[in-house]
Amino acid sequence: MVSAEKELVREYWSDRPCGSKHASAPEGTPAFYEQVERKRRELEPFIDAYADFPATRGHELLEIGVGLGTDFVRFARAGALATGVDLTARSVELVRRRLELENLTATVSVADCENLPFPDESFDAVYSWGVLHHTADPERAMREAVRVLAPGGRLCVMVYARHSWVALGLWARYAVLRGKPQRTLADVIANHMESAGTRAFTPAELRRVFSRLDSLQIDRVGTPYDQRVAGPLVRWTGSRLGWFLVVRGRKADKDATEGTHDAPSH
């Protein structure tokens, strides 16, 4: 049974699939998808470097939280053996429509990121951009992403950063200006950033959750959303207070984790 909190999240994103606000064309038309994709590339051009679409050719890839399929179809175009899941049936329907329009082959279904319907070690790559922080138990969803990743497989996950210009802007607006400076960053993010219960993280928290990954790297990325809040101050802080935290790493090969047995003594 879906929790009440998760049902609120489902309703929110079903009503407003990610990126749909940037399109004026009728929903489900080629122009609609083109407008959504163009705006995403304009706002977040750094996605290309993190997703590395060409590198997924011929690989089993899972995207958790496909939204309108803006990144998902790029994996399919690149030749990935792509599987996508989303909490909302509406997004799944819209992505299937998009695949049909582009004559692309991929699998998309409704699923809960905290309980992925796949066996262990099913995918060569797992990708999720701006999704896992919206579920009721993000840490569980992150562990699921690692569980379904095959040994040697590549993971790329983006979540929001708690100590960021965007979070500070929310705190100023909903705490300081309302005479409640005691409210925490976590509280204002949970109540005033997109769907109910949204979480934001620190790099240290993410290192603990993803500790099973080799070559773990966590990048803080400055975004146009920071610029909107801080204006010219962003010039002084660079990406240090960026809104996005991008986690990348590879799952350890079994051979590397099994170790070796001591030689028997004589």
Side-chain angles (χ1 to χ4, degrees):
M1 177 178 288
V2 176
S3 68
E5 182 180 357
K6 197 170 293 182
E7 190 56 42
L8 288 174
V9 173
R10 189 203 303 273
E11 290 174 4
Y12 181 95
W13 293 108
S14 184
D15 289 343
R16 46 181 79 72
C18 184
S20 57
K21 65 181 180 181
H22 299 307
S24 58
E27 184 175 272
T29 63
F32 170 81
Y33 295 116
E34 191 277 330
Q35 289 171 358
V36 171
E37 182 168 344
R38 183 172 65 245
K39 191 63 176 180
R40 186 172 180 87
R41 291 196 184 198
E42 175 188 323
L43 290 171
E44 302 177 25
F46 38 77
I47 285 178
D48 289 42
Y50 287 110
D52 196 0
F53 299 105
T56 62
R57 182 175 182 81
H59 293 172
E60 294 282 355
L61 171 129
L62 171 67
E63 180 172 359
I64 304 171
V66 292
L68 288 173
T70 311
D71 296 343
F72 188 67
V73 297
R74 298 185 68 190
F75 286 116
R77 291 171 190 159
L81 307 174
T83 298
V85 296
D86 200 277
L87 187 63
T88 72
R90 184 178 180 198
S91 284
V92 169
E93 291 168 5
L94 286 168
V95 173
R96 286 175 178 166
R97 170 63 176 157
R98 187 170 190 175
L99 292 167
E100 181 183 345
L101 286 170
E102 295 197 31
N103 196 29
L104 294 169
T105 301
T107 301
V108 195
S109 60
V110 175
D112 181 350
C113 62
E114 295 178 28
N115 297 282
L116 293 172
F118 307 110
D120 295 353
E121 304 178 353
S122 295
F123 298 96
D124 304 311
V126 174
Y127 175 85
S128 185
W129 194 266
V131 174
L132 302 187
H133 46 231
H134 291 305
T135 195
D137 189 344
E139 289 87 353
R140 179 171 177 171
M142 293 171 187
R143 290 191 294 270
E144 277 288 274
V146 175
R147 178 185 67 79
V148 301
L149 187 63
R154 178 172 65 97
L155 176 137
C156 178
V157 167
M158 184 278 281
V159 293
Y160 294 153
R162 189 181 313 141
H163 302 130
S164 59
W165 280 120
V166 172
L168 288 169
L170 289 171
W171 180 72
R173 180 178 179 182
Y174 294 105
V176 176
L177 294 179
R178 296 189 180 186
K180 299 179 179 180
Q182 71 277 11
R183 293 186 71 183
T184 64
L185 291 174
D187 180 41
V188 294
I189 291 168
N191 287 281
H192 303 288
M193 172 50 65
E194 300 170 332
S195 54
T198 298
R199 291 270 302 279
F201 295 85
T202 66
E205 290 168 342
L206 294 173
R207 287 190 192 98
R208 285 194 292 272
V209 178
F210 289 105
S211 61
R212 290 180 59 197
L213 296 181
D214 282 345
S215 305
L216 181 63
Q217 183 173 344
I218 300 174
D219 294 340
R220 186 180 286 269
V221 181
T223 72
Y225 319 115
D226 307 300
Q227 184 78 36
R228 292 173 189 172
V229 173
L233 291 176
V234 170
R235 227 177 300 163
W236 298 98
T237 60
S239 63
R240 291 195 300 277
L241 289 174
W243 180 224
F244 289 177
L245 288 172
V246 182
V247 180
R248 288 178 294 167
R250 289 188 178 275
K251 195 169 186 178
D253 286 320
K254 283 185 176 179
D255 290 345
T257 58
E258 287 173 353
T260 58
H261 297 289
D262 292 333
S265 57
H266 298 286

